[in-house]
Amino acid sequence: MDLKNYIASIPGFPKEGIIFRDVTPILQNADVMRSVIDAFDAFVKEQNADFILAPEARGFLFGTTVAMECGIGFAPVRKPGKLPRKSISETYQLEYGTDELCIHADAIQPGQKVVVIDDLLATGGTVEAIIKLVHKMGGEVVGCAFVIELDDLNGKERFGDIPVCSLTHFAGE
């Protein structure tokens, strides 16, 4: 199955020069969604992970489902002010400024093996910040999984030797 047939490309969104890759058509088709979840499930099990993290919002859609399929825990990674309990945060650089991600301070236990799941890998800044959060809590990121990887942005180079699973790729577009 070619996932590119189920990804809508929207030129000029959110601004000119950007092509937004929309995974909504994947979510609208149970067979395609099952294919994505099965591929992520196999990757998570291959990494011997015992926990999944995903950033808001589209990462939640895949991360929670995979966690349930694998029988392991899940925690959301959110923007500031969205988590109700004590949290820790990591500030990271964007091409046009800075951003911040937060996670509940008790989400990861020391020694836990974590896979990060998101819909798209671009520059890698978001996931690099999540990796730092996991390290702050004493966990280990053993893999990162994405529906889409934008190859020309080289985002996975920011993850060192952490295994990466990308189900489809876009290059130079």
Side-chain angles (χ1 to χ4, degrees):
M1 168 182 316
D2 187 353
L3 283 180
K4 287 183 180 180
N5 294 329
Y6 300 94
I7 297 168
S9 296
I10 298 93
F13 183 83
K15 63 181 187 175
E16 273 313 307
I18 302 284
I19 300 174
F20 186 82
R21 307 297 180 177
D22 180 14
V23 297
T24 303
I26 291 172
L27 303 171
Q28 294 170 324
N29 185 308
D31 292 335
V32 179
M33 184 65 169
R34 169 55 53 201
S35 175
V36 169
I37 297 307
D38 288 348
F40 284 165
D41 176 63
F43 177 75
V44 168
K45 288 177 179 172
E46 183 179 295
Q47 303 315 309
N48 199 29
D50 48 30
F51 208 82
I52 292 177
L53 292 179
E56 63 180 286
R58 291 174 302 276
F60 294 0
L61 302 171
F62 299 101
T64 54
T65 307
V66 174
M68 289 177 58
E69 287 287 317
C70 292
I72 61 178
F74 170 86
V77 180
R78 306 218 50 201
K79 300 290 185 186
K82 302 289 185 180
L83 295 172
R85 301 190 324 268
K86 182 180 177 189
S87 63
I88 63 169
S89 66
E90 183 68 33
T91 302
Y92 62 102
Q93 289 298 126
L94 298 168
E95 51 276 10
Y96 49 83
T98 61
D99 209 344
E100 184 178 9
L101 291 174
C102 303
I103 188 170
H104 282 128
D106 62 354
I108 302 297
Q109 302 306 308
Q112 275 191 306
K113 295 178 181 176
V114 176
V115 168
V116 179
I117 295 178
D118 204 359
D119 68 321
L120 182 125
L121 171 59
T123 64
T126 299
V127 173
E128 183 180 41
I130 294 170
I131 291 167
K132 289 177 181 177
L133 286 169
V134 171
H135 290 162
K136 283 182 182 179
M137 292 182 279
E140 176 188 4
V141 176
V142 295
C144 300
F146 307 94
V147 177
I148 303 164
E149 182 176 345
L150 303 179
D151 294 330
D152 52 325
L153 298 179
N154 301 311
K156 68 182 174 188
E157 290 179 8
R158 297 173 87 158
F159 312 154
D161 61 356
I162 296 171
V164 173
C165 169
S166 299
L167 303 183
T168 193
H169 299 261
F170 288 89
E173 299 176 54

